[in-house]
Amino acid sequence: MSTHADSTSPLQALRDSLPTLTGATARAAAHIVADPAAAGRESITRLAEAAGVSAATLTRLADLLGFDGFPALRAAIATEHGREVQGGWQRDIGTEIGPNDPPEQVLGVLVAAQHRAARQAMGAVHLRTADQVADWIAHAARIHLYGEWGDSVALHELYLRLLRIGRPVWWHEGAQAARVAAGLMGAGDVALALSRSGRDEIAVDFLARARANGAHSVVITGDPTAQLATDADATLYTGTREGTAWTDHFAGRVGDTLTAALLWVLVAQRVPDALGIPQNPTTITIGETQ
């Protein structure tokens, strides 16, 4: 095999050669690039039929790329594609779950991740701070929430729950909406942002503008040391920092949801009439005369 085949990935070599190839050879190269998984497992005869070329064309293509025949090219493609699939999986899903794990193992990993995040949140959330934030929300004339993408999941539920108990609340996504909302806020209002990473520049601007107008600024985050957290009037740390894989994001969402749910219940306790429960119910003893 030539130095070219040794030093260059086969798929990259095929992509690089496409502009210079013509006819059947070009069709063969384009077919392999479009479906490297099939190219790495099919026989030369079946691959030639699928590409609409002859087996000799595939052999000629392998020779042009510096490989000692098509079997060597196929083996190199299979190896490289396998690495790409595994690397992509680990980047997106993580290393705790494998692409061939059975459903019961996948479920076990996800449940364990949720339990771990819930325990971390229980130890991380500052209850006195949560109590203070609940007071602010219960008495605010305006409550504006900001969060996007994965951060919006728990925040959207908090928005709906606060609406359910009659709180004047709005939820915003996007820089323009957040900027307008912050500019309308005043003393005693509450601006709350959820950002797992703590690095959301829109959230930083949203809370800064709201704070400048006299509103209370609150952040729910996985990083209590980020600027978003250190600048806020109140920070609720969920115990789970931002991860690099989907399983990390999935686990962290438990902390986000638990913290938001805690806030909602604490607010609901302060406005029980909204749920049809009088604040000072009269206790009637059996046998008591009216």
Side-chain angles (χ1 to χ4, degrees):
M1 190 184 295
S2 72
T3 303
H4 175 72
D6 288 338
S7 61
T8 305
S9 79
L11 292 175
Q12 187 58 52
L14 281 164
R15 296 184 190 103
D16 291 344
S17 65
L18 275 173
T20 65
L21 299 176
T22 58
T25 309
R27 290 199 305 276
H31 182 81
I32 292 172
V33 168
D35 192 359
R41 67 173 182 267
E42 298 286 4
S43 68
I44 187 171
T45 302
R46 294 189 64 176
L47 185 63
E49 290 176 355
V53 299
S54 67
T57 298
L58 291 176
T59 299
R60 186 162 58 254
L61 176 62
D63 291 341
L64 286 172
L65 296 176
F67 288 88
D68 187 15
F70 179 75
L73 174 59
R74 179 178 56 203
I77 290 172
T79 299
E80 181 182 354
H81 182 63
R83 290 197 199 102
E84 288 182 351
V85 169
Q86 184 64 27
W89 177 276
Q90 290 181 0
R91 284 193 302 273
D92 287 346
I93 306 298
T95 58
E96 293 186 86
I97 300 173
N100 298 313
D101 288 348
E104 59 270 19
Q105 186 170 339
V106 173
L107 179 61
V109 170
L110 296 179
V111 170
Q114 285 194 323
H115 285 174
R116 183 170 61 249
R119 289 195 302 270
Q120 290 169 180
M122 285 186 66
V125 175
H126 194 278
L127 296 180
R128 190 171 298 174
T129 300
D131 222 31
Q132 177 64 77
V133 172
D135 270 337
W136 291 343
I137 293 175
H139 297 99
R142 297 183 190 85
I143 305 148
H144 288 278
L145 312 178
Y146 167 79
E148 292 190 329
W149 295 93
D151 294 331
S152 70
V153 176
L155 204 61
H156 189 215
E157 182 175 359
L158 177 60
Y159 160 71
L160 293 174
R161 294 295 181 183
L162 291 175
L163 275 181
R164 166 73 175 81
I165 57 175
R167 293 288 77 217
V169 60
W170 292 263
W171 171 46
H172 308 283
E173 289 183 293
Q176 183 64 27
R179 190 158 47 242
V180 170
L184 296 173
M185 302 185 81
D189 292 340
V190 175
L192 187 154
L194 195 158
S195 172
R196 178 92 52 78
S197 69
R199 297 189 299 274
D200 188 330
E201 292 301 322
I202 297 175
V204 171
D205 180 71
F206 167 64
L207 293 187
R209 289 173 183 269
R211 194 164 49 247
N213 286 336
H216 301 296
S217 59
V218 181
V219 62
I220 298 174
T221 185
D223 186 356
T225 65
Q227 178 189 350
L228 185 62
T230 56
D231 288 351
D233 296 324
T235 298
L236 292 170
Y237 173 43
T238 63
T240 302
R241 293 175 181 265
E242 184 181 45
T244 57
W246 175 81
T247 45
D248 299 323
H249 294 293
F250 170 78
R253 195 173 298 151
V254 174
D256 298 341
T257 302
L258 184 60
T259 304
L262 172 65
L263 273 184
W264 176 72
V265 175
L266 292 178
V267 174
Q269 288 179 334
R270 287 158 169 78
V271 288
D273 285 344
L275 295 172
I277 303 172
Q279 293 194 15
N280 297 298
T282 301
T283 301
I284 300 177
T285 304
I286 295 176
E288 183 182 52
T289 59
Q290 299 297 319

